[in-house]
Amino acid sequence: MKYTPASTETTAGKKPRPKAGKVVGRKTVPPGEIRIIGGLYKRTKLPVPSKPGLRPTPDRVRETLFNWLGQDLTGWRCIDVFAGTGALGFEAASRGAADVVLCEQDPALVVQLKAVQARLKADMCRIERGDGLSVLKRTAPASLQLVLLDPPFESTAFESTLQAAAKAIGPTGVVYLEAPKPWSDEDLLPLGLKVHRSGKAGAVHFHLLAGLHAPVA
């Protein structure tokens, strides 16, 4: 979560230690581990190493997202473009997705993702080391049901990534986006997307997006 906790003093004159998952200045204080919250791999622990900018999607937000998606992703083809801990991608696999690509550039996180995949025997998951946007651009048009986008908040690639995502989803496909600001239909129209649902948790704005001509109620 990208926010700074209030700076309060204890009676002893010392500042309290930051709680897990918050950001102090520019340094992320990770929770140490998170858990998959639903499906086949429910309660599986995913380690969260101490890395600047690493923001695992909170439990409450993941629960909302998969409620929006209807929980059952049987047969879906998905890509987690900025995988990090893999929380979003493994949640999709846990709910029956047939193919999940998890993209990550950080070598240590790639090793961790492969270890989790092996532990879960999640053969439907493929770990790609490298630039997730490049992988997304190489994806066949209209071939995916779900694109998961949780880029670093300082990223300058939001528009290009959303544009690539719009091309990758099929007629009934959707794009999940986390961002430091809300994205409106006006922002998304030139990129080929529209807002289906949205919410906010702390400083994180999360959205479920659809193609402009998608039959989404």
Side-chain angles (χ1 to χ4, degrees):
M1 299 285 290
K2 291 274 183 178
Y3 65 97
T4 305
S7 179
T8 55
E9 298 286 336
T10 64
T11 54
K14 297 181 179 180
K15 293 181 181 180
R17 296 180 64 183
K19 293 182 179 180
K22 294 190 176 182
V23 171
V24 180
R26 297 181 62 85
K27 181 181 179 182
T28 302
V29 182
E33 64 183 30
I34 55 175
R35 293 174 184 265
I36 295 174
I37 59 173
L40 179 65
Y41 306 132
K42 185 177 181 179
R43 298 189 182 90
T44 297
K45 296 178 181 178
L46 303 176
V48 182
S50 180
K51 287 183 175 290
L54 186 62
R55 294 179 299 98
T57 301
D59 289 4
R60 180 164 61 93
V61 176
R62 279 182 282 134
E63 182 176 11
T64 299
L65 167 61
F66 287 98
N67 283 339
W68 285 347
L69 296 174
Q71 296 293 338
D72 184 3
L73 274 56
T74 299
W76 286 32
R77 298 186 69 242
C78 314
I79 184 170
D80 188 351
V81 180
F82 305 92
T85 63
L88 290 173
F90 287 126
E91 289 278 9
S94 186
R95 289 165 169 81
D99 184 66
V100 183
V101 180
L102 295 95
C103 306
E104 178 54 50
Q105 296 195 85
D106 185 289
L109 289 175
V110 170
V111 170
Q112 178 177 297
L113 290 169
K114 289 182 176 180
V116 172
Q117 177 196 25
R119 175 159 51 96
L120 295 176
K121 299 180 180 178
D123 295 335
M124 76 291 286
C125 293
R126 293 183 287 127
I127 314 301
E128 293 273 356
R129 178 180 173 181
D131 177 27
L133 176 54
S134 296
V135 177
L136 183 60
K137 286 180 175 179
R138 294 197 303 269
T139 301
S143 62
L144 301 178
Q145 285 73 50
L146 176 62
V147 176
L148 298 160
L149 302 178
D150 180 14
F153 276 6
E154 65 275 12
S155 173
T156 59
F158 275 91
E159 290 190 0
S160 56
T161 306
L162 286 166
Q163 194 167 37
K167 294 177 180 177
I169 58 173
T172 59
V174 289
V175 177
Y176 171 71
L177 171 68
E178 285 185 28
K181 67 162 193 173
W183 283 71
S184 67
D185 285 339
E186 183 179 359
D187 298 324
L188 293 162
L189 179 62
L191 308 176
L193 294 166
K194 62 185 177 183
V195 178
H196 176 47
R197 292 183 176 177
S198 63
K200 185 175 183 290
V204 176
H205 296 265
F206 54 99
H207 317 68
L208 192 62
L209 313 175
L212 294 179
H213 305 293
V216 179

